[in-house]
Amino acid sequence: MSSEKDGGPAFPCDSMKQFPTQEGMSLLDWFAGKALEGLMSIPDLSFHVTPSSRKIVASTAYDMAESMILEKSKRNSTGV
């Protein structure tokens, strides 16, 4: 995983040194899941998600997650 593109592991721990192939989900995936939770908590949206709109909702969740990773990277580089 590229930490620049996906934020690295969502839950890094020392045990990863013993099991380097078990990195778990990326921070990007974690953020997308949390964004999706928020999107699906909107009553008008959650009851009207159709098979054809699922891709739009999923894409929106990942767009939000990518924006969060970008903002996190900016803040880390400026020390904010």
Side-chain angles (χ1 to χ4, degrees), residues 10-49:
F11 304 103
C13 62
D14 289 337
S15 65
M16 286 175 54
K17 292 178 185 173
Q18 293 175 339
F19 306 103
T21 59
Q22 297 180 0
E23 293 182 7
M25 82 168 56
S26 68
L27 191 55
L28 178 70
D29 291 334
W30 173 254
F31 283 165
K34 300 308 273 181
L36 182 60
E37 284 182 54
L39 289 169
M40 296 309 295
S41 72
I42 302 169
D44 289 344
L45 177 65
S46 62
F47 289 111
H48 300 294
V49 174

Side-chain angles (χ1 to χ4, degrees), residues 28-76:
L28 178 70
D29 291 334
W30 173 254
F31 283 165
K34 300 308 273 181
L36 182 60
E37 284 182 54
L39 289 169
M40 296 309 295
S41 72
I42 302 169
D44 289 344
L45 177 65
S46 62
F47 289 111
H48 300 294
V49 174
T50 63
S52 62
S53 66
R54 288 180 186 153
K55 289 182 181 182
I56 295 168
V57 174
S59 179
T60 300
Y62 269 96
D63 288 345
M64 293 174 77
E66 287 172 350
S67 294
M68 293 171 71
I69 295 289
L70 181 61
E71 183 62 26
K72 181 180 182 297
S73 176
K74 287 179 187 176
R75 289 175 181 243
N76 286 346

